[in-house]
Each structure stands twice: as C-alpha cells, then as structure tokens.
Amino acid sequence: MTGGQVFVDEGVEETSPAPLTTKRIYVYTVPGRSEPAWERTVGQTHTTGVGLVKVGETTKPTARDRIRQQLNTAYPGLKGVDILLDEPAQRVDGTWFSDHDVHRELVAQGIARDQEWFEATLDEVKAAIVAVRQGTAFESTRTLDFPMRPEQEDAVAVTAGYFTAHAGDSRAPRFLWNAKMRFGKTFTTYQLAREMDWNRVLVLTYKPAVQAAWRDDLLSHADFEGWHFVDRATSIEDADELVNGAAPLVWFASFQDVTGKSADGTIKAHNETIHLTDWDCIVLDEYHFGAWRDSARDLYDPTDKKLAELEEPEDWVTEDDLGFTARNYLYLSGTPFRAITNGEFTEDAIFNWTYIDEQAAKERWDPAVGQNPYVDLPQMRMYAYEMGAGAMAYAEDGEFNGFNLSEYFRAERVDPKSKSTAPGEYVFIDPTRVSEFLEMLRGKLTEQMRMQILGQSSKKAPFPYESADFAKAITHSVWYMADVASCFAMRDLLQAHPYFSGYEIHVAAGPKAGMGAAAKPLVEKAIKTARDQNRSGSITLSCGKLMTGVTIREWGAIFMLRSLKSPESYFQSAFRIQSPWSYRQPDGSLDVQKDVVFVFEFDPNRALGLVAEYGMKLATVGDDATPQQAIGDLMNYLPIFQFSGGQMLQLDAADVLNIATTGVGASALAARWNSPVLVEVNEHTLTALLDQKELLEGLEQIEDFRNLANMAQQVVTSTSKLKKVEREKGKGNLEPDEKKEKKESNGVKKQIREKLQKFLAKIPVFMYVTDYREEALKDVIESLDSDLFTRVTGLTVQDFQLLNKIGVFNAQHMNAAIYQFKSFETASLHYADQSVPDQTGHKVGLWDTTIDESELGQECESSTTSVD
C-alpha cells in the first residue's frame, strides 16, 4: 500500500439496516487518494493502476446524501470528490447485499485494501458487484448486467419458437431480424443463443468493423459467463482447442476471409476448423441480399472503391455458397426490403423493429414500470429548404432538368496532376454561390437570394446556424458532400469564413482520412480538439466515410449536400446521427445529450420523394398499411418542415405524397417504367425460370424472347461456375478468360432484363385502356381483363402468373410505379379542369394491393401547419 499521507476520517457509521431495507452501493475517490500509483501481481497476471477507491453502502436515497454526511466538512459542497458509481445493492433474487460482500470479492482477487479503500480500477469494482449480484464467478471484464428491452425479449421468444418448431425440417430453418440500427442485435443474438442452449455460433459479416461490438458484448456482460470469442487474431492452436472443448463459443469471421483461398487454391489454414465444425447457428450480419448494392456503394468515399466492392459485392452469398454445416440460420439487416417483398422469408420467419416501433415504444413507456430504456434514442426531424428558382439551373444531365445538389456544390482540382490537399488545391466551380449558401445557413441572405428564396414574403424561417432551436444539435455535425473535391473546397471556405472558422473543420475524405472504421478516431480527435479549445463545435466533411457501419455519438445534425437516389442509402446515412449519447449518473439516471437530431435538406422534391418511397417500403413489412398510412406513421416520429415561399410549414403524409408525385414529369414517369428495378434478373430467378418448361416455350413464341432459354442457361451456368472459381481462388483473382466470361454473362443478363423491361413498358398502355381501376392490377390481369392484357402485351395470363410466381416482378417497385402513374393521371384531370368527383371511399388498384383514391398525390387542399 502507498503510505505516508494523512487522510480525512470519513467518520459517521450508519446503523445496520433491517434485512428488507433498500440499500445502495457506491464508489468514490478524493484528492490525495486519486493520485498514488499502484501495482500487483496475482499468479502470472501483473496489473498497474492509479488511485484508490472507496467502496461503501448506504440506506439513504442517494450516495451523495451519504457522502455529504461523511465529507462535507473536509470538502464543502463535495468539491473535489469524484463519485464514480451509485446503484442499488440488490441481487437478482431481490435480496440486498452489503459492501462487505463486494469487499470479500475484491480481496479474493488479490486486490489490496486499507479498510474500505481499494487499489482497484472502477471496472474491477463493477465486476465484483456483478459477481455478487448475479452469484457468478468474478471476471474482470464482465462489468455489465443490464436486462433485455421488451422488443429484444420478443425477438428471442419468437425466433426461438420458430427454430424449435422447424428443427425437424429437411432444410435448416432461416429467420430474419429486420431491425434498425441500435436495436442491439449482438446482445440479443447472444440471448437467443442462451435460450436455445447453443454452444457453437458462427457470425459472418461483410463489415469486419463490427467485430468489436460482437466481442465486447460477449465478454463484458454477466449473462455470457463462460463463453469464449474466436476471431482472426486467435491462433489456430487456441481456436482448435476451444472448438474441441466443452465451453460455448462464438466465432467471428468476414465473408471476404472465409470465402477466400490461399495461394495454392486451398482453404486458408485458419479457416479449416470453420469448415469442419457443425454449427448450432450461423448468423449472417449486415446482410442485405443484394437489395441495394449499387446504391450502398454510393455511401463510400470514392477513394475507398475496393472496400466498397468487398463490403457491398455484386453477387449474393447464400448458405449453399458457403459450404458450411449449420442447424439454424439467423439473418440480420436494417434494410431487407427486397428479401421481404420477394418472399425470401415467410411472414412467421421475420421479426420487425423499425424506427417507428422504437419511437412509439419510447412515447408509450410507463414511468411507473421503471426507467425508460429508449430515453436516449433521439427523435429525428427534417427541415427542407427550397433553394429558389435560380437554383434550377444546376441540373444533372439525364435528370430531366431536376435540381441536383451534387452539381450545385461541384468542385475541381486546380492542378489535375497534383496530389496535394493543401488549401487552395480544390475550388468550387462557383465559389460565390457556395459562399452565399453559407450565409443562408446563418439566415443572412443577399438581396438576390432573398428574392429567390423568400419571394415577396418578409417572413423569416429558422435557419440552421441562426435559430436557438438548432444550437445544441449543430454543435457537432456532418456535412455529406458529393466527392473528395467538394469536401476540400468546402473546408477552405469554412476555415476562411469569419463565423464557421470558429468550428474545428475535419475532412473525412480521401485516402489519408482512414478507411472504414479507421476513419472514426480522427473524427473523435477533431471533436475532442473542439471541446478542449472551447471552439464553437466541429464540422465533419464526408463524401462516404462513416456513412455505413460506424457512428459518431456527438453528431446531432447532418447536412445533405449531395443528391442520393435510393431511400435505403438516404436513410442509412441519415440514421448516422440517431445514435444515443448519454452519461450514466451516479444515481443510475441518464443524462441525455441528444433529445432531437436534425436532417437539413436542400433539395425538397428529391428528399420527399425518397421519404415517400421509404414509407411505401415500410408498408411492405407492416400490417397491410396503405402508402399514406405508412408515411403518416413515419412522419409522426419524423416530422418534416418545408421552407417555401418565405414560410416554414409542417407537412403531413398527403403533402409528401403530393410533392413526391406531382413533381414527376411525363418523361420521368416513362423512365420509371423502363427502370431495371422493376424486374429481378439473377441466378435465382433464372434458375426458377429454367425449371418452367411450358413458360419458356410460351415466351419463346414472342419475338423478343426467342432465345431466352439459352440465354438464361448461359447466365446460370456461368454464374455458378465463376462463383465456385472465386471461392477457390479468392475475389478478384480470375484469369483473363474468366473475366471475359463474367463480362459476357453480365451482358446477357442485361439483355434479358432489357427484354423484360420492354414488356413492362406496355403495362401503362394496358392500365390506360382497361376499364378496371379499383382492382389490383395483378388481379385485373389474371381474371378481369385477361384477353385485353394478352392483346396489349403478347403475354398469356398463364405465362404472366408463372413469371410473377418465380419473382421476376418486384412487387414493391411495381406498386410505387403504378402509384405514380395513377397520381399523375389524376392530377392531369385537375390541370385540364375536368370535373373529378369526391374520391373518398373509391378504391384504386396498385400492383398487388388497393388504396383509397383520396390518397393519390394530387393538387388538393393541404393541411399543412405554419410554424413560423
């Protein structure tokens, strides 16, 4: 022990409580006790630390009350006293334990003491408390013992029931958790393993950056005592010993690693055991079933192209492709829309937990039950600002003259040959325009912008860096730019700006910013610098880094300064700011740092179109909600405010649908019906097609499909062969002739898709001429107007039914396309001053569902609420 110093006598002893009296356990330190260094050796473990901690108990409401009684004379107002822990001293069986129980546990670990003062770290004390509370053996890393939230308990119960009921099936059962970020998938997966008495669990992911979460949850929570964690860093000898032992284990690996091969084409030595083990369950994490691979790659920094290809590959990887043996498969994803709509999983094999579910649970929580477990999960709000008529000049080619943020903030390198990122190396095409935009963010408009944005109105809306409502959230924000050039050009403008130069500006773009999870520490360093130097806050500029898989808890706002085309990619990036940020107080309560977070959008038409599409997709995983109902549910917890014409209006679901659909021109609508997302052409659908001989014969009577069978067989055979080669040689190691074959196969696949798109392009004609508007189009085709369908498209009803059955048509996108078509059609009647009767109660058919005609987006009476 460290000696030679005189410390205050804490004095007053408490009266021994009755056995049923509520007690609290606490830990604190004081000046003089917090500085001495110590070290100890127990067995072969050597531990060093700084500072001694006092471990005590009290029957008072809080530890502070008791500590004030002890120390207030020596430390008035407890100045300098650091209360490290204050929580109930209650076992899991409801009985109360004492500080002496904790003391005994600490001493048993060889930890030196001086009465109630211990040479121990706070984590060691927490581990001792957990051991006493749970009645388990002491493990220095097991400092957590929180219970499951209600939805996590539901997920475990439903999934365990499904796996148990299907244990005897000929094929191993598969279950999907459609769970948003912050559901707690790792912790809940481990609880499922306990419930199922699994001993061997293999976790596979495309994103190795999530490894820390899987490891820490297993090794830090008391519920998983005795479990072992194996990963790439574990030696082959240790891994083999653990697999052959009796203790349960989790083996974490990446798809890239387990599907790769060594130089001689054999399985990598450290993966051999994986192939030889009979797994109780294989967990496929962050697995989106190819649902939005191309869009997902938009979320990566352009300089991280190789990482994007690895983490968002083109080909699906299924259980059959892996070649492993498992009794159960659990799939985890936050955006599995395609898997759901394509029937990859039956309804009883899916557990859904969305942002809407989370926020509803937060709102409904009964305080009488205890502390709200959702209290630190912030609500999101969107503020959308129209940039004015002058902004429409900045359109991207091929975007039908629509405003494009990426073009608005386009930048370039001054010297194309230079690789420097020094100030002045990158400039905006129109720096004056961007400088005016920065002034707009502060509510300081030039006369030209005032006319463009406010028009004749003198009313003023809240701007991000002007309104007190946003002040806390924008302290630390991320600005999502289009590319590396715009990030560095924006950095230079911000650092030279008299206001924004007060922020710590960090560029999370380019190869020097770190790849994947490696980019996070640099952002955290910038945030710490801002805090230590008392700067206004921090602004992180990114064009993809940290937009997937990694979150920064301090971010309270995201500025969307690029145009995204997929609702999945849009919300994947927007949800980066929805991560919790709170501190546990000594009394057990949470000090929440983020109650509300903000998405600042500057292309309302595109953004609200994505919100509408996202809401429609949420409807596919709900209880048969209509698009307007699903969007309304979303907006109940994601309020959207639009600044237009000098007013800030809160929108409702009808407004969003109206903006999302009436903003669609005829040419854009036609392009929608020639979109590749409407059809599914892949190894799975083509294999199913080849199994339908009669269908193939029927299709080949149509000129466009004359050689369909041969084309489909070529794709299936080539894809299967090349996937096997890549499994043996590793990704990216194809021979020149194999690369040529892959390119040819993709070309054939594209031809088949284009042929199917030509067929779908005739669907609007059929919708226009058929008399049946109130029925789902699929039903109209199959039973109500079959002859007309065959005359218009050349396809028989039987052939259509088979194509639909094998999943060629993407129902989710078909619903959205038909919705847009009929909204445009209805709006056209209004524009033409044709009399349209009251629509309430009248049904309109989409692809495989119907909605009330009043829900079609059109120019109608708005119920927006002004908030200016």
Side-chain angles (χ1 to χ4, degrees):
M1 288 292 291
T2 304
Q5 297 188 48
V6 178
F7 299 104
V8 65
D9 180 4
E10 287 81 22
V12 188
E13 291 292 333
E14 292 193 75
T15 304
S16 295
L20 298 180
T21 301
T22 298
K23 292 195 293 186
R24 303 189 70 79
I25 194 83
Y26 61 82
V27 181
Y28 72 82
T29 190
V30 296
R33 294 275 193 179
S34 60
E35 293 84 14
W38 50 261
E39 59 181 87
R40 67 170 176 268
T41 300
V42 178
Q44 294 183 335
T45 303
H46 185 74
T47 307
T48 60
V50 176
L52 284 71
V53 293
K54 164 73 177 289
V55 181
E57 68 174 64
T58 183
T59 58
K60 296 185 180 300
T62 69
R64 180 171 289 276
D65 295 336
R66 170 58 176 154
I67 297 170
R68 186 183 295 112
Q69 183 185 27
Q70 295 175 336
L71 302 180
N72 200 46
T73 301
Y75 302 95
L78 298 186
K79 185 176 181 180
V81 179
D82 192 0
I83 302 175
L84 304 173
L85 182 143
D86 175 10
E87 60 185 50
Q90 190 173 29
R91 297 184 179 88
V92 290
D93 62 4
T95 61
W96 302 95
F97 60 86
S98 72
D99 55 356
H100 297 296
D101 297 314
V102 180
H103 297 167
R104 281 193 296 271
E105 196 67 53
L106 291 169
V107 171
Q109 304 309 314
I111 294 173
R113 66 179 294 180
D114 178 4
Q115 297 183 27
E116 291 188 338
W117 288 88
F118 291 83
E119 291 181 344
T121 65
L122 179 59
D123 277 349
E124 287 174 330
V125 178
K126 287 181 178 179
I129 292 172
V130 167
V132 173
R133 178 181 290 130
Q134 300 285 336
T136 58
F138 176 94
E139 287 189 60
S140 61
T141 62
R142 298 201 182 278
T143 60
L144 304 176
D145 61 349
F146 55 83
M148 286 188 283
R149 295 194 303 266
E151 76 277 7
Q152 294 171 330
E153 291 183 348
D154 291 344
V156 169
V158 170
T159 311
Y162 182 86
F163 281 146
T164 301
H166 293 271
D169 291 1
S170 58
R171 183 183 180 187
R174 304 154 70 246
F175 200 95
L176 169 68
W177 285 356
N178 167 32
K180 73 170 288 290
M181 183 181 67
R182 304 305 163 198
F183 168 70
K185 61 187 177 184
T186 55
F187 172 67
T188 312
T189 297
Y190 292 150
Q191 293 291 1
L192 174 64
R194 290 181 68 216
E195 178 72 18
M196 296 294 298
D197 289 326
W198 291 336
N199 287 306
R200 297 290 180 269
V201 176
L202 174 63
V203 177
L204 296 175
T205 181
Y206 276 117
K207 302 185 184 299
V210 302
Q211 175 188 26
W214 284 98
R215 181 189 62 240
D216 294 348
D217 275 8
L218 187 74
L219 301 182
S220 63
H221 200 284
D223 285 355
F224 314 124
E225 179 189 12
W227 281 75
H228 295 281
F229 188 82
V230 176
D231 60 14
R232 183 67 180 85
T234 308
S235 70
I236 296 176
E237 295 77 14
D238 289 345
D240 289 345
E241 183 178 346
L242 289 172
V243 167
N244 294 325
L249 66 83
V250 171
W251 192 312
F252 178 95
S254 71
F255 281 111
Q256 300 93 301
D257 188 37
V258 298
T259 57
K261 301 294 180 181
S262 59
D264 59 0
T266 59
I267 296 171
K268 295 177 182 178
H270 62 268
N271 289 330
E272 288 181 359
T273 301
I274 297 179
H275 289 263
L276 298 174
T277 301
D278 290 332
W279 299 99
D280 291 316
C281 182
I282 292 181
V283 181
L284 296 99
D285 184 28
E286 296 291 345
Y287 195 73
H288 307 305
F289 302 88
W292 51 292
R293 293 286 189 239
D294 292 338
S295 298
R297 289 182 181 181
D298 290 342
L299 294 172
Y300 289 77
D301 187 303
T303 60
D304 295 342
K305 182 179 179 181
K306 289 185 177 179
L307 179 67
E309 291 175 350
L310 285 173
E311 296 191 350
E312 305 293 344
E314 293 177 2
D315 296 328
W316 297 8
V317 175
T318 66
E319 306 98 288
D320 297 334
D321 296 326
L322 293 172
F324 302 148
T325 303
R327 282 179 280 279
N328 303 281
Y329 289 88
L330 177 65
Y331 292 78
L332 311 177
S333 178
T335 51
F337 297 122
R338 179 175 293 185
I340 293 174
T341 55
N342 282 4
E344 291 286 327
F345 298 87
T346 56
E347 287 186 13
D348 62 337
I350 303 173
F351 178 82
N352 298 306
W353 186 254
T354 66
Y355 169 75
I356 297 171
D357 296 323
E358 170 200 280
Q359 293 295 310
K362 176 181 177 180
E363 184 178 78
R364 292 195 303 261
W365 186 262
D366 182 2
V369 178
Q371 187 178 78
N372 190 333
Y374 312 99
V375 68
D376 61 347
L377 292 167
Q379 183 195 63
M380 296 178 67
R381 294 180 186 172
M382 178 186 288
Y383 278 76
Y385 299 81
E386 281 191 354
M387 300 289 280
M392 297 308 292
Y394 304 100
E396 180 184 28
D397 291 341
E399 285 295 309
F400 312 104
N401 298 320
F403 173 59
N404 185 275
L405 279 169
S406 301
E407 183 68 19
Y408 192 87
F409 292 102
R410 188 158 65 90
E412 62 185 7
R413 187 189 284 275
V414 175
D415 179 3
K417 297 181 180 179
S418 173
K419 293 185 178 181
S420 171
T421 58
E425 289 291 331
Y426 292 92
V427 295
F428 286 109
I429 298 301
D430 189 342
T432 301
R433 177 180 76 236
V434 181
S435 295
E436 289 181 346
F437 170 80
L438 296 181
E439 293 304 305
M440 185 200 76
L441 294 182
R442 303 180 58 223
K444 303 187 182 303
L445 306 178
T446 63
E447 187 60 32
Q448 182 179 359
M449 286 199 85
R450 184 178 298 278
M451 291 303 298
Q452 288 180 355
I453 294 176
L454 297 182
Q456 300 300 317
S457 173
S458 60
K459 297 178 181 179
K460 200 171 185 182
F463 288 93
Y465 286 90
E466 176 209 30
S467 173
D469 294 340
F470 306 135
K472 186 176 181 181
I474 63 162
T475 301
H476 301 289
S477 64
V478 56
W479 294 21
Y480 196 12
M481 312 296 298
D483 53 28
V484 174
S486 60
C487 285
F488 282 103
M490 184 64 81
R491 176 203 63 184
D492 292 350
L493 278 188
L494 292 175
Q495 290 180 339
H497 194 279
Y499 174 80
F500 288 105
S501 60
Y503 287 80
E504 183 70 16
I505 312 299
H506 173 67
V507 179
K512 294 182 180 179
M515 189 165 64
K520 183 176 181 178
L522 295 175
V523 178
E524 292 174 331
K525 180 181 178 182
I527 292 173
K528 184 178 185 300
T529 298
R531 184 168 55 244
D532 293 346
Q533 297 181 3
N534 293 316
R535 298 175 69 79
S536 302
S538 71
I539 295 173
T540 299
L541 304 169
S542 171
C543 56
K545 292 187 191 293
L546 302 165
M547 289 296 111
T548 176
V550 182
T551 54
I552 305 296
R553 64 176 188 172
E554 290 86 354
W555 284 348
I558 183 169
F559 290 72
M560 293 294 194
L561 304 183
R562 66 179 295 176
S563 292
L564 294 168
K565 300 176 183 179
S566 155
E568 289 92 347
S569 58
Y570 189 91
F571 281 93
Q572 179 81 355
S573 55
F575 274 122
R576 294 301 99 193
I577 63 173
Q578 210 248 334
S579 58
W581 181 22
S582 61
Y583 297 107
R584 180 72 62 181
Q585 296 287 68
D587 65 357
S589 63
L590 281 180
D591 181 9
V592 178
Q593 303 297 302
K594 295 194 307 190
D595 292 309
V596 180
V597 293
F598 298 94
V599 178
F600 293 111
E601 175 58 60
F602 303 93
D603 184 358
N605 284 347
R606 184 184 295 268
L608 296 179
L610 294 175
V611 170
E613 190 172 346
Y614 188 70
M616 291 181 201
K617 290 186 174 185
L618 286 177
T620 66
V621 301
D623 299 322
D624 298 322
T626 66
Q628 184 162 331
Q629 289 170 339
I631 295 168
D633 289 341
L634 175 63
M635 293 179 63
N636 191 36
Y637 300 106
L638 175 62
I640 299 177
F641 303 85
Q642 184 181 13
F643 176 39
S644 178
Q647 297 185 69
M648 184 63 77
L649 304 174
Q650 181 170 358
L651 306 182
D652 63 14
D655 299 322
V656 170
L657 286 170
N658 180 35
I659 294 169
T661 54
T662 57
V664 178
S667 56
L669 189 64
R672 182 67 182 264
W673 280 97
N674 195 32
S675 170
V677 301
L678 296 176
V679 292
E680 299 283 358
V681 178
N682 51 56
E683 180 186 2
H684 303 277
T685 54
L686 292 179
T687 299
L689 179 62
L690 289 170
D691 290 338
Q692 301 291 336
K693 301 301 182 185
E694 293 184 5
L695 172 60
L696 280 173
E697 291 175 2
L699 287 175
E700 291 190 333
Q701 300 303 310
I702 302 173
E703 184 175 349
D704 281 331
F705 296 104
R706 286 282 158 81
N707 198 32
L708 181 60
N710 291 336
M711 296 171 72
Q713 188 64 63
Q714 178 183 346
V715 171
V716 170
T717 302
S718 179
T719 302
S720 178
K721 169 191 167 185
L722 293 175
K723 285 174 71 173
K724 181 179 179 182
V725 171
E726 288 190 324
R727 285 198 299 271
E728 293 173 350
K729 295 182 178 180
K731 289 276 186 179
N733 294 322
L734 296 179
E735 298 296 332
D737 59 328
E738 292 167 338
K739 290 181 179 179
K740 180 181 179 182
E741 181 180 350
K742 185 172 184 178
K743 183 177 181 180
E744 291 175 351
S745 177
N746 288 336
V748 174
K749 194 187 300 183
K750 182 180 179 182
Q751 290 180 44
I752 296 174
R753 183 181 293 112
E754 289 173 347
K755 292 176 184 297
L756 288 168
Q757 286 172 228
K758 285 177 67 176
F759 158 72
L760 285 179
K762 300 175 182 178
I763 292 290
V765 178
F766 174 71
M767 286 191 291
Y768 184 78
V769 296
T770 184
D771 293 328
Y772 298 95
R773 280 181 52 84
E774 297 185 1
E775 310 296 333
L777 188 64
K778 191 164 69 71
D779 296 332
V780 175
I781 293 171
E782 292 180 350
S783 58
L784 298 176
D785 217 344
S786 305
D787 292 341
L788 178 63
F789 173 77
T790 299
R791 290 200 303 274
V792 171
T793 65
L795 200 66
T796 68
V797 172
Q798 291 74 23
D799 293 343
F800 167 81
Q801 289 174 323
L802 287 172
L803 285 172
N804 199 47
K805 180 179 178 181
I806 63 178
V808 168
F809 305 123
N810 187 308
Q812 169 189 307
H813 286 289
M814 291 291 288
N815 276 323
I818 295 172
Y819 179 91
Q820 275 195 336
F821 176 88
K822 294 194 173 180
S823 294
F824 185 80
E825 182 183 46
T826 302
S828 298
L829 296 177
H830 282 270
Y831 299 148
D833 291 329
Q834 292 192 26
S835 176
V836 179
D838 179 22
Q839 302 159 331
T840 305
H842 291 273
K843 293 294 182 183
V844 169
L846 299 184
W847 176 250
D848 58 1
T849 188
T850 62
I851 61 171
D852 193 279
E853 192 166 1
S854 62
E855 296 180 28
L856 289 178
Q858 56 177 285
E859 294 293 334
C860 56
E861 248 182 67
S862 174
S863 57
T864 50
T865 304
S866 176
V867 296
D868 63 349

